[in-house]
Structures are given as C-alpha cells and as structure tokens.
Amino acid sequence: MTWIAIGSISDIPRRGARCVDTPEGKIAVFRTADDQVYAIDDHCPHKGGPLSQGIVHGVAVTCPLHNWVISLETGKALGADEGTVRTIPVKVDGERLFLALEALASRAA
Amino acid sequence: MTEKLVIIGNGMAPGRMLEHLLEKAPGRYQVTIFNAEPRVNYDRIMLSPVLSGEKAYEEIIIHGDGWYIANGITLYKGHKIVAIDRQAKTVTSDHGVTEPYDKLVIASGSVPFIIPVPGHDLPGVLTYRDLDDVQAMLLAAQSRAKAVVIGGGLLGLEAAAGLNAQGMDVTVLHVMPTLMERQLDPAAGYLLQRAVEQRGIKVITKANTQAITGNGKVEQVELTDGTVIPATLVVMAVGIRPNAALAKEAGIAVNRGIVVDAGMRSNDPDIYALGECAEVNGMVYGLVAPLYEMARVAASQLAGDEKAAFVHMDTPTKLKVTGIELFSLGDFAEGEDRQEIVLRDAAAGVYKRLVLKDDRIIGTVLYGETGDGAWFNDLKKKQTDISEMRDTLIFGQSYQGGAPLDPMAAVAALPDDAEICGCNGVCKGKITGAITAKGLTSLDDVRAHTKASASCGSCTGLVEKLMVLTLGDKYNPAAVQPMCGCTTLGHDEVRRLIKAKGLKTIPAVMQELEWTTSCGCAKCRPALNYYLVCDWPDDYADDYQSRFVNERVHANIQKDGTYSVVPRMWGGVTNAAELRAIADVVDKFEIPMVKVTGGQRIDMLGIRKEDLPAVWADLGHAGFVSGHAYAKGLRTVKTCVGSDWCRFGTQDSTGLGIRIEKFMWGSWTPAKVKMAVSGCPRNCAEATCKDVGVICVDSGYEIHFAGAAGLDIKGTEVLGLVRTEDEALEHIVALTQMYREQGRYLERIYKWAKRIGIEEIKRQIMDDGEKRKAYYERFVFSQKFAQVDPWSERVSGKDKHEFRPMASVGFAEAAE
C-alpha cells in the first residue's frame, strides 16, 4: 500500500476538516475532538454537499446543505437517511498524516 | 318473435343502455348498431388521460369486440346513418347498408361547436371530441411546438393540460374573464387559473379570437385586441351542441336536441333518443351521470316498463387534470334569497363555498380540497335542512355529529392520499404507514423517515395529530421539547442553567447538564455557542467549530458549494466608488451572478471558497465590511430617502437607519434580524413586516416589531411612539437585547414575542425605564467584543486554513 503524506494533524482544527485535492475530486480529512483522523470523499451522498464544511460531532459530520449526518468511520448516512460515501484509509505517524493512494488508483481504473 | 332494435351511435349512453337491456330483457331484441366512429365503445371521459399520456386507448375500452359477438349484436363500425325512413321503418348508412327496425334509438351525441372565424377550416385546427381528435393532437404534439386552445372550460383545460404534458407550449384563450365560469365562481376560477399557469400553461382571458391565419396551415391566432399568438395547432373547445340534424330531417320533433318525454321517447313512438342529442323537459345534458340515467330509463322502457322516467339531476363537475382538485355542483349565482358560507385558506390554496337557500344547499364550489364533495352533493340531493349544523357545515362531514369541532376527527377523516406536507409532498398514508411499520414514536423520527414537517414545519400540527391517531397513548409529546437528541432539557432551561451555574464553555454545559453525547450534534452546538456568546461576551471564546459553515467562513454556501458575498451598504446607501469596486471585483474573479437583494444590498454569487479572502481584500480596500448576510445576527436596515429628498418625508429616515446599523452591526442574535426605517406612514421601506421597524411621523418615531414576511406573513406590533432619534435608538437596542437574552436559537422575533407576550415586552421596554437602560447597557458592552469586521480579520490571515486545501496529491501521475 502506498501512503502519501498530506501534512500534519495540527493542520486540521479539532472537530473540523481540511480538504486534499486529488485528480478524482476532493477528499475531506476530519479530526475529531479526541484527535482521531478520518478521510472520506468530500461529497455528500444526498446532493453532493461539501462534507468538509459541516459541523463535526462525535465520529460524524452533518452536511451543511441539508443536514444529513454521515459516519466518518463507515461513510454511511446515519439515522433514517440512506447513502454511503467512500472512506479512504488514513495512517497517523506521530504528527504526520498519510492517505492510501491505492484507493485513488483503483477508483481511477 | 324477436324484435329488431337499431341503435344509431355507439357511445357510452347506448352502451350502458344495452347492458341494462340485456339484463332486463335478454333475447327480446335483435340488436344492430351503426357507429360513425370506426371502433367499439370506449370511455370518452378518459380521453384526457389518453391525451396526457397517462392511459392508453386499450385501457379505456368499455366493450371490446368480443362483447358484441357474445351478445349477438351486429356492430357496423365507421357507418354513418344518412337517412331514417319512418314510413318504411328503415335506416340507411353512408356505405349503403339499409336496416329495418321495430324500435330505433338515436344516440348521435353532440358535435363540437366551431367558431366561424376566418381560418377555422385550416389544416391544424382541431376539435376535442373523440379518439381521432386525440390522435391528431398527439401527432401534432410531437413537434413540441406552440399550441393554442380556444376555450377555458372543462374540455379546453383538459386538452391544454394534456398538450402541455406532451411537451407543447400551450396558450389557453378564454372569452370570459375567469376560467370555467359556468361551473366556478370567480374566486375559484382565479385559483384554477393560477394552478394552470403554474404548470407553464399561459392563460389569456377576455380573449376574442378574430382570425386563424397561416399559409396553407395554421401559423397564428389573432385576437380582436391585436394580439398575435404563433401556433401550429389550434384546438377549439368552446362547447358542444346536440347532434340532431338527422332526426330533424326525418321529421322528428327537435328543439335544441331531439325532444323526448321522461321515458326517452320522441314524438314517433317507435323512436327513442338518449345521450347528448336528447332534450328532456327543455334540458340537454353533457355529463355522464344523467346520460347513464337516461340509458337506464330507455332500457326499462324498451324492456316493457312504461313507468320508468327520467328525473332531472344536477351533476358535480370535476376537472380531470392531475393535481388540480376541483368540484362544482348546482347553482351558485348570488341572489337576495340566498346565503353563502365561504372558507378560504390562501396558503393551502383552498376555497370552499356553499350557496344556501331556505337552509338547504343549492350549490357547492370546492377548490383545492374536494373530499367533502360527495357529502355536500348528498345533502343537496336529499334537500337536508342544514340549520342545525350550519356553523360547522363548511368544514365537512367529519366535523358533524358526535364530536363537533374536533380537529382530530377531521384529520382522522382525511383520505390516505391527502397531502399533509406540501414541501416534501408527503401524504397521510405514507406517514401513518411509516409510524406503524417502523415503530416511530417521536416527531423527530417521523421527520427523519418521511420528511414530513422537515422543511417549513407548517404541517407539524397535522403530523402530531396523525401520531396521536396512530399511536394513541403511546405518543406523549414531551411538555418541553428538548433542544435535540443530546439532552432532555429545553432551550429555556438550558439558558437558565447557563446563567445560574455560571457555565462558560460548551464542554462545561455538556458536562454539568448531563449531555448524552460526547460532543453534541449539529443542532445543539450552534445553539449553545450562541447562548454563551450572548451571555458571556467578555469571557467566552467563540467556538468556530460549533458554527454553521456560513458563520465560519462569513459567506453563504450555495447548492454547488460556492459562496455568495454581500458587502454592507449602510442603510442601503452606496456611491460610485463602492459600485466601481464591486464591478472590478466581479470582473476580476469572474463572478457569474450579481443580484440586488430584498434588503437593499448587492449580492455576488458563485464565488469559489478559495477566492473569498482575495475578494474580501479587494472589497475592503474600497471600504466595505461584511454585510453579515449569512449571520444569525443583524442583517440589514432598509431605509427610504426620508426628509432629505422625499416631499412626504417627516424625519431623516436614511440617517436613522444608518445610525442603527452602525450601532448594531456585528451583534449575534438567536435568529436573523432585519430592520427598516420609513420616513412617513407611506412606508416605502416596508418597515411593518420587519423584525424591527420604524415609521417616522411628524411627532417622532413609531417603533414596530415582531413582523414577518417569510414562512409566515405577519404585520408588526407597535411597541410605542418616542419623540427623538436618540430615544428611538435606545428603545430598539433594548428590545433587541431582551430578545437576544430570551430568544431560543433560531426563533425569530415574532415567535419569541408571541411566546413572551406583546404586553410584557412593552412593559419592560416602554414603561420600565430602568430595565430598558440595563438592556441597553448590556448590548453596548457586548458590542465592544462583537464589532470586529470578520472579513478584514481573515484578510489578515485568521482561519486561513479554512480557505485552502491541506494538500494536493496524485496530480503528477494524472498529468495530461
């Protein structure tokens, strides 16, 4: 598995997100209140809202467009809504963050 | 010995007559039918769904070929009878078939009325009568071109809706001022017109067609007022008249239609007539119910029952256009001996009118909600004395009897397909079904699963009633609605405890008030953040991660993820330099949309998030600050030009508006706050539907509040009159602070005022000078920390992580 460095955990505010631009679109990288890091496509399964702009609570984010709540762990919509967004493996090495590039490559294929 | 029965015409009336006759007197007659149309008996009422594509011809056949064979009936398709020889008792068709009869039934129906304007015979001018017309229209509709329907009655509107559904650009011309004026009163006609227009069909009333013109085929329709409407298809649906020509030629008594007695017999005892061609007691009929009654009577007569008689009946009219609910019955003209009961619900598009005479219903018009039509029809038919239930009559059947005025019964009586939530198009059956199937017990659950009441919320009451009806005692709406799923406490309780316990951070609130989640949710976090900002302006560090994205990036997110930016224009006043700066920014950042807002500002839409700081920097150079168009805070103060310019202006309304805005900008409030100052009671700044408004008068400033012009529409309440501008500012600021301290997050001023009571607010702000001063002081204190331009802060680097990607990866591999 190829791990691509994307920066430091301190680049992301707690209960917040930053984006990583990739050829296949934006990936939202989240940091929870207890410093866990998750990466999912920055694209709500509902209407494509930018999930990175949502409010982060627990291990979930609420989409800013229509308030869908998406699990950061599974990428699944929580509650009554149904839909899934792709999750991307993240590795934390000390302060440094890496995303698994295979996921990008296999999706492009 | 069997008698020979010949029927001219094969529409719905004779078809029904034969069904009755075969049942009452099987084998008595040998039946021969001549049908001018080359087909079997089909349901003419369903032609509109065929035209709109909702049904196929095969689905509307009443009697297929097999039925005629099975019953030994000879059907001549495409044979038009051209002569009746009453002496020889024969009929002859245009194909030369001559058939003798013992009894003859004329059911030749009606012919569409053609307005004899020049060009009415051009190719492309059609009527709307039979399947051939529909097929011709469907063919014409393939062009997706323009069609004109002449006639805004039942048939015309159904034709228009069908052609519209087939993709044509349709204009309806109607000679009268309102649509369907024979069945609807003007109010319902207006609602109908609106609904028709909402489908994209253009309607021109009081339209007199002068000519249809074109070179060899229809190209346009010209009206007497000079209007010219391009069209490749013209449908005339202006009415029908009984087709009685054949009978007249045969010497049978004809008035408007073929004159028959109550037994459907003409002046020739062996000849009957029924259907649209027949005239009984001076009346001709066009709706199916009386025609079927004629069929029943004629069949009984032919079977030997000479007592069978037709009795006049009013028939309700219903429009067969999907999505338009309309019911009309009887006589609804006004008159001195008549009374009426009217119910209007403009928001729901409902209009109901009952016309009464001697305590009996003689006419009914229902629009938008027709569920009680059958009941009203029944009351009218039975001539029921309604004086006992008069007060609740208009609300319908469910309000009568055991539990008058029980709204629960009304909801219970709604049909399953009744729409409950207009925003999301959710019907009753879907809601009750979801409650039962998924075991939902809370309003939030129902919202989540069905989306009902999840948008504007105006149907929440209905949804709750449905929950009570479905769940019974199991539904127990909490006396206090909790803030969200993370707590059992309501907003007021949380606000009280924040002050009482001196809680000054979100984690402290969650810990002390026993939140059930680790870090809240998207509902409670922004609310708590506001409460803390408001209550501890000097101590509390605003938690940006608990703000909605708009307040985090100080712009409004749009559906495509871009943002819109609205610079502040104090009091709605601007100048050349500002406009030039805006124009430059629009050019430089290729901003796709620039729009003037309702609050007298300029909105630039479609800005990429990465560009926001640069846009703000350029705007900042011109002196602009954030317009807070994204904030739960003070948005705008609209003004008129006031005494400086206006000949009616009594005070400097522009100056006061700017002063208020400069004093109050940057303050956070429970929900957005929009204000306006008008220089005189003509109220050009529209101050009387604002959260706070001022109407200037000669003697001072009349302060208004608690207006609404959004989901709800509500005129303002008057707080009171003050003499000077200083006093006006103090009172407005104090009022706003009171709202800031008491309002629940997202609760607009008018809702807060309704909860607290107008009188109580007046007492604290107008009458209690000390309280007012204290509110004022607390607002001024909090402004010390709030009045920082968020745009210039971000231009100087604050929160820069918000506006750039963390990294860009993978682009080298994908390089083109």
Side-chain angles (χ1 to χ4, degrees):
Chain A
M1 192 166 272
T2 315
W3 293 101
I4 297 293
I6 54 166
S8 157
I9 190 166
S10 57
D11 294 340
I12 311 173
R14 284 201 176 114
R15 296 170 304 151
R18 294 287 298 276
C19 284
V20 173
D21 281 333
T22 79
E24 292 110 36
K26 283 183 176 163
I27 294 173
V29 185
F30 294 85
R31 177 183 179 188
T32 64
D34 54 357
D35 289 338
Q36 299 175 64
V37 180
Y38 297 94
I40 61 177
D41 273 345
D42 190 23
H43 192 90
C44 181
H46 177 219
K47 300 253 167 134
L51 294 170
S52 59
Q53 318 288 297
I55 290 179
V56 181
H57 44 94
V59 196
V61 60
T62 295
C63 178
L65 290 195
H66 307 97
N67 296 324
W68 277 36
V69 181
I70 308 293
S71 161
L72 299 178
E73 279 175 313
T74 65
K76 285 202 171 76
L78 300 175
D81 297 317
E82 286 175 19
T84 308
V85 60
R86 189 178 59 125
T87 59
I88 294 105
V90 182
K91 188 168 80 176
V92 185
D93 180 8
E95 284 275 292
R96 297 177 55 195
L97 303 179
F98 300 85
L99 292 185
L101 188 68
E102 257 85 3
L104 292 173
S106 66
R107 197 172 68 139
Chain B
M1 194 197 112
T2 55
E3 298 168 73
K4 286 189 72 71
L5 172 65
V6 171
I7 302 171
I8 303 173
N10 194 32
M12 297 169 71
R16 176 59 64 92
M17 182 195 78
L18 280 174
E19 286 179 8
H20 285 301
L21 188 60
L22 291 168
E23 193 185 303
K24 283 177 204 270
R28 174 162 174 177
Y29 292 100
Q30 185 195 330
V31 181
T32 305
I33 305 172
F34 289 90
N35 188 9
E37 270 190 77
R39 50 183 71 89
V40 293
N41 176 25
Y42 60 92
D43 188 347
R44 223 171 270 269
I45 297 175
M46 299 310 282
L47 282 175
S48 293
V50 173
L51 177 60
S52 65
E54 291 163 69
K55 280 204 187 309
Y57 167 63
E58 290 70 28
E59 294 175 73
I60 68 167
I61 289 173
I62 298 176
H63 297 138
D65 286 307
W67 184 84
Y68 297 94
I69 295 164
N71 289 294
I73 295 169
T74 308
L75 169 63
Y76 287 99
K77 295 180 191 171
H79 279 243
K80 188 180 174 194
I81 294 297
V82 290
I84 302 170
D85 185 339
R86 289 167 59 201
Q87 244 51 53
K89 293 183 88 170
T90 60
V91 298
T92 303
S93 83
D94 55 353
H95 292 289
V97 175
T98 298
E99 188 77 20
Y101 66 81
D102 295 308
K103 300 276 190 238
L104 176 66
V105 172
I106 304 176
S108 46
S110 60
V111 287
F113 189 73
I114 309 264
I115 316 173
V117 291
H120 70 265
D121 48 1
L122 278 173
V125 180
L126 297 175
T127 57
Y128 185 24
R129 186 69 208 135
D130 59 27
L131 192 69
D132 292 332
D133 296 328
V134 170
Q135 279 165 350
M137 280 192 248
L138 287 173
L139 202 64
Q142 286 175 2
S143 68
R144 316 259 153 182
K146 292 177 189 297
V148 164
V149 175
I150 303 179
L154 204 60
L155 271 184
L157 292 177
E158 291 188 7
L163 293 172
N164 176 254
Q166 294 293 346
M168 291 195 89
D169 176 358
V170 185
T171 303
V172 174
L173 305 179
H174 191 51
V175 72
M176 301 303 285
T178 57
L179 296 177
M180 287 183 70
E181 76 287 344
R182 283 172 57 198
Q183 292 87 12
L184 296 181
D185 56 12
Y190 162 76
L191 286 171
L192 175 62
Q193 181 171 343
R194 216 176 50 176
V196 168
E197 286 170 343
Q198 274 166 3
R199 285 154 187 266
I201 297 169
K202 292 182 263 315
V203 177
I204 304 178
T205 54
K206 297 187 229 170
N208 276 298
T209 305
Q210 186 167 50
I212 302 167
T213 55
N215 191 7
K217 59 180 171 40
V218 172
E219 283 168 6
Q220 57 192 31
V221 177
E222 296 172 16
L223 305 185
T224 48
D225 67 359
T227 308
V228 173
I229 305 152
T232 55
L233 171 68
V234 172
V235 178
M236 283 213 193
V238 288
I240 54 171
R241 55 175 181 208
N243 181 9
L246 182 69
K248 195 170 185 177
E249 278 167 31
I252 298 166
V254 168
N255 189 17
R256 267 205 292 165
I258 301 167
V259 179
V260 294
D261 62 16
M264 309 316 295
R265 199 184 294 247
S266 75
N267 62 334
D268 181 329
D270 288 326
I271 300 182
Y272 296 77
L274 80 161
E276 289 173 330
C277 65
E279 175 180 327
V280 198
N281 287 327
M283 303 275 289
V284 291
Y285 296 84
L287 294 167
V288 75
L291 303 186
Y292 274 175
E293 176 62 10
M294 289 181 187
R296 191 190 62 77
V297 171
S300 300
Q301 288 277 352
L302 287 168
D305 174 7
E306 294 186 356
K307 288 204 287 289
F310 178 84
V311 183
H312 168 76
M313 59 201 278
D314 276 337
T315 311
T317 304
K318 285 184 170 180
L319 188 68
K320 289 175 300 299
V321 174
T322 309
I324 296 181
E325 292 285 320
L326 184 157
F327 177 100
S328 134
L329 172 72
D331 182 354
F332 42 84
E334 287 177 36
E336 277 186 18
D337 55 344
R338 294 163 177 201
Q339 295 171 308
E340 57 176 10
I341 303 174
V342 175
L343 173 80
R344 289 174 201 268
D345 181 343
V350 171
Y351 171 83
K352 301 183 181 187
R353 177 161 170 244
L354 297 175
V355 182
L356 308 177
K357 188 176 173 182
D358 303 327
D359 287 328
R360 277 155 183 88
I361 296 176
I362 61 165
T364 306
V365 180
L366 306 177
Y367 185 90
E369 197 182 286
T370 56
D372 281 310
W375 185 63
F376 289 133
N377 188 9
D378 193 53
L379 291 177
K380 174 178 172 294
K381 215 188 291 175
K382 293 180 176 148
Q383 288 288 293
T384 309
D385 183 336
I386 53 81
S387 50
E388 289 289 309
M389 53 183 160
R390 190 179 163 129
D391 288 349
T392 55
L393 184 66
I394 193 92
F395 299 115
Q397 185 174 21
S398 52
Y399 275 79
Q400 314 307 324
L405 282 175
D406 175 6
M408 206 58 104
V411 177
L414 287 172
D416 268 353
D417 60 358
E419 187 172 83
I420 302 292
C421 172
C423 297
N424 296 297
V426 188
C427 65
K428 177 183 167 184
K430 187 168 171 195
I431 297 171
T432 52
I435 293 171
T436 315
K438 303 201 165 146
L440 310 180
T441 53
S442 77
L443 185 61
D444 275 352
D445 284 348
V446 173
R447 282 185 180 141
H449 283 272
T450 67
K451 300 281 174 264
S453 135
S455 288
C456 84
S458 59
C459 62
T460 303
L462 274 176
V463 173
E464 286 187 314
K465 286 190 187 78
L466 285 177
M467 297 188 68
V468 173
L469 284 168
T470 315
L471 294 169
D473 292 341
K474 274 190 280 176
Y475 179 61
N476 180 23
V480 175
Q481 191 74 30
M483 265 177 80
C484 65
C486 305
T487 176
T488 54
L489 300 171
H491 284 268
D492 299 338
E493 194 73 348
V494 170
R495 289 211 83 169
R496 189 181 65 74
L497 289 167
I498 285 173
K499 292 295 267 184
K501 291 179 173 251
L503 306 175
K504 294 189 178 181
T505 65
I506 288 179
V509 173
M510 290 181 174
Q511 184 60 34
E512 291 295 317
L513 305 186
E514 298 177 349
W515 242 240
T516 58
T517 51
S518 65
C519 73
C521 70
K523 269 187 190 168
C524 59
R525 285 243 306 276
L528 293 178
N529 189 56
Y530 166 71
Y531 295 152
L532 295 168
V533 163
C534 175
D535 289 346
W536 316 109
D538 49 343
D539 288 352
Y540 178 67
D542 201 331
D543 177 21
Y544 266 66
Q545 297 311 132
S546 293
R547 284 193 178 271
F548 183 62
V549 62
N550 286 357
E551 294 186 352
R552 219 161 54 226
V553 304
H554 298 274
N556 291 57
I557 194 165
Q558 304 297 319
K559 61 185 277 191
D560 62 352
T562 65
Y563 287 81
S564 77
V565 160
V566 181
R568 200 168 277 287
M569 284 178 178
W570 308 100
V573 176
T574 183
N575 57 44
E578 286 186 349
L579 292 173
R580 209 169 276 124
I582 287 175
D584 287 344
V585 164
V586 170
D587 283 345
K588 180 170 168 186
F589 295 95
E590 294 174 332
I591 293 171
M593 172 87 162
V594 183
K595 185 167 184 324
V596 175
T597 73
Q600 301 182 337
R601 304 297 142 100
I602 290 176
D603 191 0
M604 288 165 268
L605 296 109
I607 302 175
R608 292 179 310 141
K609 193 180 181 195
E610 300 77 36
D611 285 342
L612 286 172
V615 167
W616 295 332
D618 283 8
L619 291 172
H621 285 312
F624 279 118
V625 295
S626 164
H628 289 91
Y630 47 82
K632 310 294 176 219
L634 178 74
R635 294 265 176 106
T636 55
V637 183
K638 266 175 95 164
T639 68
C640 69
V641 290
S643 55
D644 273 5
W645 296 92
C646 178
R647 65 204 160 101
F648 299 116
T650 62
Q651 311 283 356
D652 178 14
S653 51
T654 324
L656 175 58
I658 293 172
R659 189 173 165 195
I660 294 171
E661 196 166 339
K662 291 209 158 167
F663 197 88
M664 300 184 73
W665 74 270
S667 60
W668 300 104
T669 44
K672 62 185 169 187
V673 172
K674 296 179 173 181
M675 301 194 184
V677 185
S678 281
C680 79
R682 286 169 193 77
N683 191 18
C684 295
E686 295 163 341
T688 50
C689 60
K690 291 287 178 283
D691 295 297
V692 180
V694 179
I695 303 286
C696 299
V697 290
D698 266 333
S699 57
Y701 303 83
E702 196 176 70
I703 301 171
H704 289 242
F705 73 114
L711 284 175
D712 295 306
I713 298 188
K714 183 183 169 299
T716 45
E717 308 285 342
V718 177
L719 183 69
L721 179 76
V722 297
R723 296 208 25 233
T724 67
E725 216 181 86
D726 289 350
E727 286 174 280
L729 184 68
E730 182 181 299
H731 282 73
I732 290 168
V733 165
L735 171 72
T736 308
Q737 181 63 18
M738 181 176 176
Y739 162 61
R740 294 184 73 226
E741 292 175 12
Q742 300 181 357
R744 298 170 184 165
Y745 190 64
L746 301 183
E747 181 179 54
R748 293 287 291 267
I749 287 192
Y750 71 102
K751 289 193 172 163
W752 163 72
K754 190 176 167 199
R755 184 162 61 79
I756 301 294
I758 304 294
E759 288 313 310
E760 177 60 21
I761 295 168
K762 280 189 191 174
R763 197 185 62 71
Q764 295 198 24
I765 304 298
M766 294 304 297
D767 307 341
D768 189 338
E770 263 178 50
K771 263 220 153 78
R772 178 175 67 241
K773 269 268 172 336
Y775 280 128
Y776 178 83
E777 296 299 338
R778 286 201 292 277
F779 184 87
V780 171
F781 178 71
S782 99
Q783 283 298 79
K784 287 207 306 201
F785 310 94
Q787 283 197 327
V788 180
D789 175 34
W791 288 0
S792 63
E793 273 189 307
R794 274 148 195 82
V795 170
S796 9
K798 185 173 196 285
D799 292 339
K800 62 174 181 285
H801 63 83
E802 274 284 5
F803 304 100
R804 335 181 157 138
M806 182 179 186
S808 289
V809 299
F811 283 97
E813 291 87 333
E816 287 153 29

